[in-house]
Amino acid sequence: MKNKFKITGMTCAACSRAVERAVKKLDGIDKAEVNLAIEELYVEYDEKKVSEDDIIRAVEKAGYGAYLKNIKEVTLKISGMTCATCAKTIERVLGRSDGILNAEVNFALEKLYVKYDTSKVRLSMIKSIIKKAGYDVVEDLKEKEKGDTKGKNNKSLFNLKIAAIFTLPLLYIAMGHMLNFPIPEIIHHHKNPLNFALVQLILTIPTVYAGRRFYIVGFRNLIKLSPNMDSLIAIGTSAAIIYGLFAIYQIAIGNTEYAKELYFESAATIITLILLGKYLEARAKNRTSEAIEKLINLSPKMATIIKDNMEIEIPTEEVEVEDVVLVRPGERIPVDGVVIEGKTTVDESMLTGESIPQLKEEGSNVFAGSINKNGWIKFRVTKGKEDTVLSQIIRLVEEAQSKKAPIARLADIVSGYFVPVVILISIVSSIAWYIVTKDGVFSLTIFISVLVIACPCALGLATPTAIMVGSGKGAELGVLIKSGEALEMLHKVDVVLLDKTGTITEGRPTVTDIKAYNIEEEKLVSYAASLERLSEHPLGEAVYEFAKDKGIDIYDVVDFKSITGHGVYGKIQEREVLVGNTKLMKEYNIDISGVERYIEEISKLGRTAIIVSIDREVKGVIGIADRVKENSRRAIELIKNMKKKVVMLTGDNYLTAKSIADEVMVDEFIAEVLPQNKADVVKEYQSKNKRVLMVGDGINDAPALAQADVGMAIGSGTDIAIESADVVLMKSDLLDAAYSIELSRKTIKNIKENLFWAFFYNVIGIPVAAGVLVLFGGPRLNPMIAALAMSFSSVSVVLNALRLKGFRPKK
């Protein structure tokens, strides 16, 4: 068997070799070759021994993404949906189609996420299936989306105004006499009953036209045996209107008593109230996607490039890689790049949540959407508009909002059966009451009330709206959650595994201790740093950076020598200087007995000791360690307070690991873990039925991130780690890991509240509408009140989800 797979997450030739090695380890693989340029894996294999899924899993465990070359994923904007049943209908018809691997509809966002096999089905065929089901696909998704939303809201408002203008006088005419309001004699129900009825019919017609969509979609879906919310409204109000026409006929032939049995005002009011509810719901739903809109608006529409020493303003979309862009004070940076001239501070809080402006000078990276504060800079473009960090963030948030969380499945199952069951209940209860009371008007009222009050909208909105707001809030805080599933799983994890280097610690060596003997500390550091400036060792670089930050003098060095594995030698101001470990000192026969105890003390604290000798005499010891990040201890404390077990993983020796573990107070630590064994640690906890959150930042963390129930990457880490993770912490602050777990808990709690009220509303509302209270001497439910309650249920669910916008993490 031969096949081609698309590989994501590769950045260099080493990545392609890693993918090849991972696949070749599988039994049954005859050939595996990666083309890095086109990001493609060609495989020849025995399909009896290994499957496509096995190959994809092997690539993912290596820290990369993979999918069959002929498998595509697209997101389509769907118009014409009015409730959760519509979403379920689209999923069902697509699910029955050959070649569709997965189809998920987000009713709140009106988006379809579909994964399909291009060898079996084309995108045009998918669109055709959707249209045959009674819905439309909006072309040019990104361009039209914003305008469509605005236009849809304006159209909804126009229809609402039309309905309200005609419904208010209709209500006055139909019910004014009950309140002794003055009614013109020409349309008085006693003196001119036929005119009274005809005027109501005339006023009802524009309202029905304003709500025509309910009838067009409702009856079409009913004919196709896929009834939805529109079908309930269409059947209920049509029954009231048809009965009204029958009443007009009776009045015309002399049965004027029927003037008391007109239900035109009920039909018109139901339509008006539902249009009002839909308009309020749409406005509230728009607020749930504000996070995406804010991110999109961060990127300026125009950019100033330098070409032939001239400043040219062009649209940001036309900026190319290698262009030189000029950004003045107060302007937003249009695309990603590297500064080549100038110096400024840049506010990146919109992208990372970090409030302190960052210094940018030659060699610094700048990112689209950030604000240049007080200086001018020129930078060379490294990524086009579609590939910027901002664009990646927008894609991640959109994907998270489009894909369903597991908790949504319950609502999907219920809404799929809901409408047919409601229609059955309305028919049965109406017939039962007619048999008992012989009152056609009463049974009609029951029929309409049940249909109108039972709307699955609240069920359909319960989950996606909360996920939209929750993932959007995460993006505001600098936490990118890639899927609804990850958002749901975060708060359920039992064990949090933390990689040490770059996650708990800074990830780079720093001077932590200085002990000088018969010499000033500054002079000691000055001599050491002068030598280490010429060294390429990370520990030497730490000493030099420390001296540079403190403004300590650096001297010229002669006769410099680097002794691999030992240290450095040189002459400064005609004095012989040695900087290195105990082996270097012994090689040069220098007595270190006076500092051995101090070296032992700092070694127990996880520090690396560098000895400084001047003219063959030890003058001091410099301790170097990977410093713990400022917020790591507080973050671990917060996670432990959430009843999660916190475990630190590191490749360091036991003493260094214990020192860091004691400082940040983790529950456990595992030292001397080889990079390839981190995923095995994850598996070990999973074998004990523990759900695992893995937090890491490096290439060697990628397999563990992919293996964990939730993988969380530090934003400053490698692209491969970020690609493998379910959650990305843009600020590289471990506190955000604690915040994301709390945000997950709050979001799922919000979803459960929404689902509870949606179910509770229908469990209570339908029996009341069916006349249960009447059996005990209570009132019947007026259809107009049922319509108001139905609209309120959807709006209340969305408003409850919007409470998540007020989420404030514990500091």
Side-chain angles (χ1 to χ4, degrees), residues 177 183-196:
H177 63 276
I183 303 289
E185 191 171 302
I186 193 169
I187 55 171
H188 197 279
H189 72 291
H190 281 317
K191 297 176 181 176
N192 287 292
L194 185 59
N195 290 352
F196 173 71

Side-chain angles (χ1 to χ4, degrees), residues 389-414:
V389 170
L390 176 62
S391 297
Q392 290 171 21
I393 291 171
I394 291 169
R395 277 197 294 273
L396 285 175
V397 178
E398 283 181 332
E399 285 174 12
Q401 294 182 346
S402 296
K403 295 179 182 179
K404 291 182 178 179
I407 198 169
R409 291 171 192 148
L410 175 62
D412 285 349
I413 293 168
V414 171

Side-chain angles (χ1 to χ4, degrees), residues 525-592:
V525 173
S526 179
Y527 275 34
S530 298
L531 272 183
E532 295 289 16
R533 177 172 63 94
L534 304 175
S535 167
E536 294 180 353
H537 197 280
L539 296 179
E541 187 181 343
V543 176
Y544 173 65
E545 289 295 329
F546 177 80
K548 193 167 73 169
D549 289 345
K550 299 292 183 182
I552 294 172
D553 293 337
I554 302 296
Y555 300 112
D556 291 331
V557 178
V558 294
D559 296 338
F560 174 81
K561 275 191 275 184
S562 176
I563 300 101
T564 304
H566 291 63
V568 289
Y569 166 91
K571 289 184 178 178
I572 299 172
Q573 296 175 335
E574 298 184 355
R575 302 185 74 178
E576 190 180 61
V577 183
L578 285 160
V579 181
N581 57 23
T582 55
K583 292 177 184 176
L584 180 69
M585 300 301 139
K586 287 175 182 176
E587 188 176 321
Y588 280 81
N589 297 314
I590 295 169
D591 180 21
I592 61 169

Side-chain angles (χ1 to χ4, degrees), residues 1 142 212-213 246 348 357 395 488 511 592 647 652 744 756:
M1 180 76 175
K142 288 186 178 177
R212 61 194 177 281
R213 213 179 170 293
F246 170 71
E348 297 178 343
R395 277 197 294 273
E488 180 176 342
V511 172
I592 61 169
V647 181
D652 288 345
S744 165
F756 170 79

Side-chain angles (χ1 to χ4, degrees), residues 70 105 212 222 270 277 482 491 613 641:
N70 55 349
V105 176
R212 61 194 177 281
L222 193 63
I270 287 167
K482 293 185 181 181
H491 79 290
S613 164
N641 288 343

